[in-house]
C-alpha cells in the first residue's frame, strides 16, 4: 500500500505543529510531500529547512495541480476552509480541515456535497473526540448506564486569551475574517463534544453573548447559553476566554445519577435504582436513592491532532470509519450559530436554525465592523498547550 | 434582664424543630411560653407532653392577646406569614418568621412597614446566613480580596424531593397555598445568599422554569436563570428538586481569580496579579497570570435555625444587629419572583420587578390551578437534614 501524500495548506501556528509530526513520520501510512503558504517569509524559512524533501508552493492551485499530493490538510484561517476544501475535493483530493468547518453551516453543507460527489474522504480536526474522557462519557450515555439525560452544565472558561493574543494576528477576532470569537475558535471543540458525547441536539436555544468583554475586540468572548431538548432535558453552556485560571467542568445528570468531568477525571455518582423508580415507590418524607460515588477508570491518552490525521489517513488507506466526518462537523457549528443568532435577535432560536437569517446577520456585523486590523499581519505563536 | 417570652405559631414539621431547642433552653435569654396550632391532634399531643409549662392555643388571636408572649416565631405555611406577622406587630410583639417572608415582595414590604411603625424587631429565618462558608465568601468579596466579581455559577440541585414529600402536605406545591415551588421553598436560602454574600443584585434576569417536571405538582421544580449586573458581570443559577444526588457548587470568578464552594469546602484559585493588570502588560501569545490554588480555612459550625432565633432574641434583649432583617428578606424573594415572571412572560425581567404584574400573573395561576389537594390535610415529617 502506497503512502498518502499530504499537502499541508498554511504553515502558521497550527500548520507548523502539523508539519512537525508529519515530517517526524509519526503518522503511519502518510508522508508530507508539499506545503503551501502565502507568507513569503514563512515559506522561505520552511524551504531552507525542509525544501529538499517537501515541495514548497505559494500558490494553492499550483500545489493541487502538482500531482504530488493525494490529500490536503488545511490549516489556514477559518474563512479559507470551505473554498479551499471544495477546490481540492473538486480535483479528487481527500481533505482534512482544521476546525471549524466553516463560519456558517451552509459552508459545511457545501463541502459535504462536494465530498460526496467526488467520493473522497472529508474530515474535520475535532481532536477532542479522541480524548478518552469524552469517549468514555459517550459510551456511558449511549449504553444507557447513566439513564435518560436530564440536565447538563458545562463551564468551559479555561481558554484564556490576552489582548496580546488577539493583537498577534490581523484576522483574529474580526467578523470579516475569523467570523466570530470563542464559539467559532476555542469552544468549537466543546460544542462538538457536547452533542457528540451526549448524542443530543437541542430543540431550541436561548443564549447571551458578550462582545469584546475586557478586551478590545469586536466578537463574542463570553457566552451563556440555555438549551432545551426533546425529552425535556435542559442544558447550560458557559464559555469565556477572559477568565484566569478558568474552569472546565462538565456535569451531566441522568435518571441513574450524575457524571462530572473535571480536572481530567470522571466522577460517577451512581444510584442503585433509577431515580424515577425510587420516586414511584418511596413513601417517606425526605429520603432519596442510595448513591455510590466513584471515579470511573479512563484509560489511554488523547493522541490529539496526530490522532485525527492518522484516522483520516487510515480512512483513505483502509476504509477505517472517520472519527470526525464532515457530516458531523455541522452540528457543533449549528450550536455556535444558534447562540450568536439568539443574542442578535434577543430571542429563542429553534434548531435547525434559519441559515439564511444567520448569514444575513453575520453580513450585517461584517458591514458594521469597526475593526482596523489588517488581516494579513500576524506573527507565529507557539501553539504548544493550545488545541 | 427578663427573658423574651416566645409564642410559637405552628407545630408542624419545622415548628416542632423550633419547639425542641426552645424547650431544651438552648436559646439564651428566651423561653417558650405558648404555642398555637390549628390541628387539634397535634395540639393535643403537644399539650400532653409540655402543657404544664407551655400554654396551648388553637386561636392565634387568643395567644397574641394572652399577655404571655413578647414575640412570636411563625412556622406556619408560607401564605400565613404576612397576615400573622402583621397582626403580631400591630399588637406590639416582636416577630421572627420562617422563610420565605412572603410569596410576593409586596407582602414583605407591608411587614417591614408594620415593624417600623411598631418599633419592634422583625427577622426572617435565613439560617444559611450563619453558615461560616458563606460568611467567609461575603468577607472575601466585600473586602476586595477576589477583585471585581465577573461571573457566577451556582448549581444547587441537592434539595431532592420525592412525590411522597409533595403528597404529605395538602398545601405544598400549589399556587394557591405554597405560592410556588423550589424557588419559594428550598432554594429561597441560596437566592438570599447569592445577593447577600456577593452584595450584588442583578439589573435584569432571563429565566426558564419547568413546572411539575418528573412530579405530579403544578409549581416550578427546576429552574435555570441567567442574570446580568450593572458592572457587566453575569450569573447562572440552576436549581432542581428532582435530581439525586444533586449538586451544590457555587463558583464566583473575579479579577483576582476564582472561588468555588463545593462539598462544604472553599477553594480559592488566586492570581498573583489582577487579571486586568496582567492583560494590560502581557506581550506574549498564550500566557496567563500565575495562580495559587488553596483551600480557604473556614472556622466554626452553622448554628442554623437556633442561631437565627438567638440573634433575634439578642436583638430584642441587647440591640444586637440582625443577621437577617426584614428589609433584607425582600431581595431573595425579588430574585425568585423575577425568575417566575420571566418564564411566565417568556422575556427579560428588569429589577426591581413590576410587583403588580407579578401579583396579577400569580393570581392567574391560582385561578387556573388544577390542583385537587386539600390544604388542610398533612402529616408531620421528620425535618432532620432539611433546612
Amino acid at each position: 500500500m502506497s503512502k498518502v501524500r499530504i499537502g499541508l495548506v498554511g504553515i502558521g501556528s497550527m500548520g507548523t505543529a502539523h508539519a512537525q509530526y508529519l515530517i517526524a513520520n509519526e503518522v503511519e501510512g502518510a508522508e508530507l510531500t508539499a506545503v503551501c503558504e502565502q507568507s513569503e517569509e514563512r515559506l522561505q524559512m520552511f524551504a531552507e529547512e525542509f525544501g529538499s524533501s517537501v515541495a514548497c508552493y505559494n500558490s494553492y492551485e499550483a500545489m493541487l495541480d502538482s500531482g504530488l499530493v493525494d490529500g490536503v490538510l488545511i490549516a489556514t484561517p477559518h474563512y479559507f476552509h470551505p473554498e479551499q476544501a471544495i477546490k481540492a475535493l473538486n480535483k479528487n483530493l481527500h481533505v482534512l480541515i482544521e476546525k471549524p468547518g466553516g463560519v456558517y453551516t451552509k459552508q459545511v453543507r457545501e463541502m459535504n456535497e462536494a465530498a460526496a460527489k467526488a467520493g473522497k474522504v472529508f474530515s474535520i480536526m475535532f481532536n477532542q473526540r479522541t480524548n478518552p474522557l469524552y469517549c468514555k462519557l459517550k459510551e456511558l450515555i449511549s449504553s444507557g448506564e447513566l439513564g435518560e439525560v436530564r440536565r447538563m452544565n458545562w463551564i468551559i472558561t479555561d481558554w484564556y486569551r490576552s489582548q496580546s493574543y488577539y493583537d498577534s494576528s490581523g484576522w483574529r477576532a474580526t467578523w470579516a475574517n475569523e467570523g466570530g470569537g470563542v464559539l467559532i475558535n476555542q469552544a468549537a471543540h466543546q460544542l462538538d463534544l457536547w452533542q457528540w458525547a451526549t448524542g443530543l441536539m437541542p430543540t431550541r436555544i436561548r443564549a447571551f453573548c458578550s462582545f469584546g468583554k475586557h478586551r478590545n475586540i469586536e466578537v463574542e468572548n463570553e457566552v451563556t447559553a440555555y438549551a432545551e431538548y426533546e425529552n425535556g432535558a435542559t442544558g447550560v453552556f458557559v464559555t469565556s476566554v477572559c477568565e484566569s485560571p478558568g474552569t472546565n467542568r462538565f456535569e451531566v445528570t441522568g435518571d441513574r445519577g450524575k457524571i462530572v468531568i473535571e480536572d481530567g477525571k470522571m466522577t460517577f455518582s451512581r444510584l442503585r435504582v433509577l431515580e424515577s423508580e425510587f420516586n414511584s415507590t418511596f413513601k417517606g418524607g425526605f429520603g432519596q436513592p442510595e448513591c455510590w460515588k466513584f471515579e470511573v477508570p479512563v484509560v489511554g491518552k488523547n493522541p490529539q491532532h496526530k490522532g485525527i490525521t492518522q484516522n483520516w489517513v487510515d480512512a483513505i488507506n483502509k476504509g477505517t470509519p472517520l472519527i470526525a466526518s464532515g457530516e458531523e462537523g455541522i452540528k457543533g457549528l449549528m450550536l455556535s450559530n444558534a447562540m450568536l443568532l439568539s443574542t442578535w435577535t434577543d430571542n429563542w432560536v429553534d434548531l435547525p436554525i434559519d441559515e439564511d437569517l444567520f448569514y444575513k446577520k453575520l453580513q450585517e456585523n461584517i458591514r458594521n465592523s469597526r475593526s482596523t486590523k489588517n488581516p494579513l499581519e500576524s506573527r507565529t505563536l507557539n501553539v504548544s498547550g493550545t488545541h
Side-chain angles (χ1 to χ4, degrees), chain A:
Chain A
M1 187 170 58
S2 63
K3 285 186 168 183
V4 175
R5 297 169 307 158
I6 297 177
L8 176 63
V9 193
I11 45 174
S13 303
M14 204 65 243
T16 301
H18 292 306
Q20 283 165 353
Y21 66 74
L22 287 170
I23 287 168
N25 281 316
E26 292 178 12
V27 173
E28 205 181 324
E31 59 181 330
L32 183 68
T33 52
V35 299
C36 166
E37 168 63 49
Q38 280 194 313
S39 153
E40 299 240 346
E41 190 191 344
R42 278 195 210 150
L43 192 63
Q44 196 175 343
M45 274 176 62
F46 186 90
E48 277 168 18
E49 199 169 349
F50 305 109
S52 60
S53 57
V54 182
C56 295
Y57 295 90
N58 59 14
S59 153
Y60 182 52
E61 284 72 17
M63 186 180 84
L64 294 184
D65 292 333
S66 66
L68 289 176
V69 300
D70 304 308
V72 293
L73 196 175
I74 299 176
T76 50
H78 312 161
Y79 57 104
F80 285 126
H81 295 177
E83 188 193 335
Q84 291 177 335
I86 287 170
K87 268 191 187 163
L89 290 164
N90 287 347
K91 292 194 185 265
N92 284 315
L93 300 174
H94 305 285
V95 172
L96 170 60
I97 57 175
E98 265 299 330
K99 53 86 206 169
V103 165
Y104 46 97
T105 49
K106 204 176 157 194
Q107 293 177 312
V108 182
R109 210 178 294 287
E110 286 168 359
M111 286 187 279
N112 285 331
E113 286 162 10
K117 196 171 145 206
K120 292 294 163 181
V121 178
F122 171 48
S123 178
I124 304 180
M125 187 60 79
F126 283 118
N127 58 295
Q128 293 296 312
R129 288 198 184 184
T130 46
N131 184 331
L133 269 173
Y134 300 101
C135 297
K136 193 72 182 176
L137 178 64
K138 185 176 174 66
E139 188 259 303
L140 293 181
I141 291 174
S142 64
S143 66
E145 185 62 50
L146 182 60
E148 188 177 43
V149 170
R150 292 182 166 189
R151 192 182 55 75
M152 298 178 271
N153 187 290
W154 199 339
I155 305 174
I156 168 70
T157 57
D158 66 349
W159 291 114
Y160 185 74
R161 294 294 183 266
S162 61
Q163 187 65 45
S164 170
Y165 164 85
Y166 292 110
D167 295 344
S168 74
S169 286
W171 64 280
R172 283 206 193 279
T174 59
W175 290 117
N177 295 306
E178 190 155 17
V182 60
L183 291 172
I184 204 79
N185 187 326
Q186 292 83 14
H189 287 297
Q190 282 77 28
L191 290 173
D192 177 62
L193 289 177
W194 191 17
Q195 62 79 24
W196 177 76
T198 63
L200 292 170
M201 278 290 279
T203 50
R204 62 175 187 166
I205 278 179
R206 184 70 178 89
F208 313 94
C209 299
S210 298
F211 303 94
K213 194 168 205 170
H214 307 296
R215 296 292 181 272
N216 181 25
I217 54 172
E218 64 183 10
V219 296
E220 86 287 353
N221 60 346
E222 184 182 287
V223 179
T224 298
Y226 169 74
E228 289 182 350
Y229 295 83
E230 200 167 8
N231 72 345
T234 64
V236 168
F237 187 89
V238 176
T239 189
S240 168
V241 277
C242 43
E243 274 178 27
S244 183
T247 296
N248 183 359
R249 182 182 183 278
F250 187 18
E251 161 172 316
V252 186
T253 72
D255 199 2
R256 177 69 78 179
K258 175 175 76 167
I259 291 174
V260 175
I261 297 180
E262 189 174 13
D263 297 329
K265 289 192 302 190
M266 177 184 290
T267 310
F268 192 176
S269 301
R270 188 179 186 279
L271 305 178
R272 282 188 78 186
V273 297
L274 292 174
E275 187 285 321
S276 53
E277 192 185 324
F278 176 87
N279 183 56
S280 65
T281 55
F282 179 66
K283 298 295 173 210
F286 290 98
Q288 55 186 303
E290 184 176 333
C291 176
W292 296 348
K293 183 174 172 181
F294 53 91
E295 190 181 329
V296 178
V298 175
V299 179
K301 269 189 72 175
N302 186 359
Q304 297 276 6
H305 304 88
K306 199 165 57 180
I308 295 292
T309 305
Q310 183 69 66
N311 169 254
W312 174 62
V313 167
D314 290 346
I316 297 167
N317 279 334
K318 320 176 204 169
T320 304
L322 283 176
I323 294 168
S325 70
E327 281 81 19
E328 288 255 305
I330 209 166
K331 292 183 183 171
L333 187 59
M334 177 78 76
L335 295 174
S336 159
N337 285 183
M339 291 175 189
L340 279 171
L341 192 54
S342 173
T343 306
W344 287 335
T345 59
D346 196 16
N347 209 341
W348 289 102
V349 166
D350 292 327
L351 276 76
I353 66 162
D354 179 339
E355 291 187 344
D356 293 332
L357 182 61
F358 179 83
Y359 183 78
K360 191 182 139 217
K361 292 279 178 190
L362 177 64
Q363 298 310 312
E364 278 174 25
N365 274 282
I366 292 171
R367 276 197 307 277
N368 298 333
S369 169
R370 287 178 302 174
S371 171
T372 55
K373 292 176 94 173
N374 175 356
L376 298 180
E377 261 179 23
S378 66
R379 60 178 203 272
T380 303
L381 298 173
N382 177 354
V383 292
S384 64
T386 183
H387 305 292

PDB file of all heavy atoms in Angstrom, chain A residues 121 311-312 314-315 318-325:
ATOM      1  N   VAL A 121     -12.489  11.300   0.974  1.00  0.00           N
ATOM      2  CA  VAL A 121     -12.604  11.301   2.430  1.00  0.00           C
ATOM      3  C   VAL A 121     -12.454  12.724   2.963  1.00  0.00           C
ATOM      4  O   VAL A 121     -11.422  13.372   2.781  1.00  0.00           O
ATOM      5  CB  VAL A 121     -11.534  10.378   3.063  1.00  0.00           C
ATOM      6  CG1 VAL A 121     -11.639  10.419   4.586  1.00  0.00           C
ATOM      7  CG2 VAL A 121     -11.691   8.955   2.539  1.00  0.00           C
ATOM      8  N   ASN A 311      -6.338   8.935  11.717  1.00  0.00           N
ATOM      9  CA  ASN A 311      -7.642   8.342  11.393  1.00  0.00           C
ATOM     10  C   ASN A 311      -8.063   8.689   9.968  1.00  0.00           C
ATOM     11  O   ASN A 311      -8.583   7.843   9.227  1.00  0.00           O
ATOM     12  CB  ASN A 311      -8.689   8.843  12.401  1.00  0.00           C
ATOM     13  CG  ASN A 311     -10.110   8.505  12.004  1.00  0.00           C
ATOM     14  OD1 ASN A 311     -10.878   9.361  11.578  1.00  0.00           O
ATOM     15  ND2 ASN A 311     -10.487   7.230  12.125  1.00  0.00           N
ATOM     16  N   TRP A 312      -7.785   9.924   9.559  1.00  0.00           N
ATOM     17  CA  TRP A 312      -8.114  10.360   8.185  1.00  0.00           C
ATOM     18  C   TRP A 312      -7.298   9.548   7.178  1.00  0.00           C
ATOM     19  O   TRP A 312      -7.828   9.050   6.180  1.00  0.00           O
ATOM     20  CB  TRP A 312      -7.833  11.869   8.086  1.00  0.00           C
ATOM     21  CG  TRP A 312      -7.964  12.495   6.731  1.00  0.00           C
ATOM     22  CD1 TRP A 312      -9.069  12.580   5.965  1.00  0.00           C
ATOM     23  CD2 TRP A 312      -6.908  13.147   5.999  1.00  0.00           C
ATOM     24  NE1 TRP A 312      -8.791  13.260   4.798  1.00  0.00           N
ATOM     25  CE2 TRP A 312      -7.474  13.625   4.799  1.00  0.00           C
ATOM     26  CE3 TRP A 312      -5.549  13.393   6.245  1.00  0.00           C
ATOM     27  CZ2 TRP A 312      -6.723  14.327   3.849  1.00  0.00           C
ATOM     28  CZ3 TRP A 312      -4.822  14.098   5.302  1.00  0.00           C
ATOM     29  CH2 TRP A 312      -5.395  14.552   4.120  1.00  0.00           C
ATOM     30  N   ASP A 314      -5.965   6.581   7.719  1.00  0.00           N
ATOM     31  CA  ASP A 314      -6.472   5.205   7.778  1.00  0.00           C
ATOM     32  C   ASP A 314      -7.777   5.053   6.998  1.00  0.00           C
ATOM     33  O   ASP A 314      -8.036   4.018   6.387  1.00  0.00           O
ATOM     34  CB  ASP A 314      -6.703   4.772   9.231  1.00  0.00           C
ATOM     35  CG  ASP A 314      -5.388   4.581   9.981  1.00  0.00           C
ATOM     36  OD1 ASP A 314      -4.328   4.514   9.320  1.00  0.00           O
ATOM     37  OD2 ASP A 314      -5.426   4.512  11.231  1.00  0.00           O
ATOM     38  N   ALA A 315      -8.618   6.096   7.061  1.00  0.00           N
ATOM     39  CA  ALA A 315      -9.867   6.056   6.303  1.00  0.00           C
ATOM     40  C   ALA A 315      -9.579   6.004   4.805  1.00  0.00           C
ATOM     41  O   ALA A 315     -10.251   5.294   4.052  1.00  0.00           O
ATOM     42  CB  ALA A 315     -10.728   7.270   6.649  1.00  0.00           C
ATOM     43  N   LYS A 318      -7.501   2.386   4.380  1.00  0.00           N
ATOM     44  CA  LYS A 318      -8.135   1.102   4.742  1.00  0.00           C
ATOM     45  C   LYS A 318      -9.644   1.189   4.947  1.00  0.00           C
ATOM     46  O   LYS A 318     -10.263   0.231   5.406  1.00  0.00           O
ATOM     47  CB  LYS A 318      -7.539   0.586   6.067  1.00  0.00           C
ATOM     48  CG  LYS A 318      -6.061   0.759   6.270  1.00  0.00           C
ATOM     49  CD  LYS A 318      -5.667   0.273   7.671  1.00  0.00           C
ATOM     50  CE  LYS A 318      -4.391   0.933   8.161  1.00  0.00           C
ATOM     51  NZ  LYS A 318      -4.131   0.683   9.591  1.00  0.00           N
ATOM     52  N   GLY A 319     -10.199   2.347   4.674  1.00  0.00           N
ATOM     53  CA  GLY A 319     -11.643   2.463   4.869  1.00  0.00           C
ATOM     54  C   GLY A 319     -12.074   2.508   6.320  1.00  0.00           C
ATOM     55  O   GLY A 319     -13.250   2.289   6.640  1.00  0.00           O
ATOM     56  N   THR A 320     -11.137   2.787   7.227  1.00  0.00           N
ATOM     57  CA  THR A 320     -11.488   2.927   8.650  1.00  0.00           C
ATOM     58  C   THR A 320     -12.556   4.021   8.807  1.00  0.00           C
ATOM     59  O   THR A 320     -12.443   5.076   8.186  1.00  0.00           O
ATOM     60  CB  THR A 320     -10.221   3.333   9.444  1.00  0.00           C
ATOM     61  OG1 THR A 320      -9.209   2.361   9.201  1.00  0.00           O
ATOM     62  CG2 THR A 320     -10.502   3.442  10.936  1.00  0.00           C
ATOM     63  N   PRO A 321     -13.594   3.768   9.630  1.00  0.00           N
ATOM     64  CA  PRO A 321     -14.613   4.827   9.809  1.00  0.00           C
ATOM     65  C   PRO A 321     -13.996   6.100  10.391  1.00  0.00           C
ATOM     66  O   PRO A 321     -13.132   6.033  11.258  1.00  0.00           O
ATOM     67  CB  PRO A 321     -15.597   4.207  10.803  1.00  0.00           C
ATOM     68  CG  PRO A 321     -15.373   2.735  10.726  1.00  0.00           C
ATOM     69  CD  PRO A 321     -13.923   2.539  10.381  1.00  0.00           C
ATOM     70  N   LEU A 322     -14.471   7.246   9.917  1.00  0.00           N
ATOM     71  CA  LEU A 322     -13.956   8.532  10.410  1.00  0.00           C
ATOM     72  C   LEU A 322     -14.441   8.810  11.822  1.00  0.00           C
ATOM     73  O   LEU A 322     -15.600   8.552  12.159  1.00  0.00           O
ATOM     74  CB  LEU A 322     -14.419   9.673   9.502  1.00  0.00           C
ATOM     75  CG  LEU A 322     -13.696   9.833   8.164  1.00  0.00           C
ATOM     76  CD1 LEU A 322     -14.351  10.960   7.365  1.00  0.00           C
ATOM     77  CD2 LEU A 322     -12.213  10.115   8.366  1.00  0.00           C
ATOM     78  N   ILE A 323     -13.561   9.346  12.637  1.00  0.00           N
ATOM     79  CA  ILE A 323     -13.949   9.792  13.985  1.00  0.00           C
ATOM     80  C   ILE A 323     -14.737  11.092  13.887  1.00  0.00           C
ATOM     81  O   ILE A 323     -15.706  11.302  14.605  1.00  0.00           O
ATOM     82  CB  ILE A 323     -12.687   9.985  14.859  1.00  0.00           C
ATOM     83  CG1 ILE A 323     -12.020   8.620  15.095  1.00  0.00           C
ATOM     84  CG2 ILE A 323     -13.033  10.671  16.178  1.00  0.00           C
ATOM     85  CD1 ILE A 323     -10.623   8.713  15.703  1.00  0.00           C
ATOM     86  N   ALA A 324     -14.331  11.959  12.980  1.00  0.00           N
ATOM     87  CA  ALA A 324     -14.983  13.269  12.853  1.00  0.00           C
ATOM     88  C   ALA A 324     -15.239  13.562  11.377  1.00  0.00           C
ATOM     89  O   ALA A 324     -14.464  14.250  10.719  1.00  0.00           O
ATOM     90  CB  ALA A 324     -14.114  14.353  13.480  1.00  0.00           C
ATOM     91  N   SER A 325     -16.342  13.012  10.893  1.00  0.00           N
ATOM     92  CA  SER A 325     -16.670  13.200   9.477  1.00  0.00           C
ATOM     93  C   SER A 325     -17.228  14.595   9.240  1.00  0.00           C
ATOM     94  O   SER A 325     -17.681  15.263  10.172  1.00  0.00           O
ATOM     95  CB  SER A 325     -17.719  12.163   9.062  1.00  0.00           C
ATOM     96  OG  SER A 325     -18.956  12.487   9.675  1.00  0.00           O
TER      97      SER A 325
END
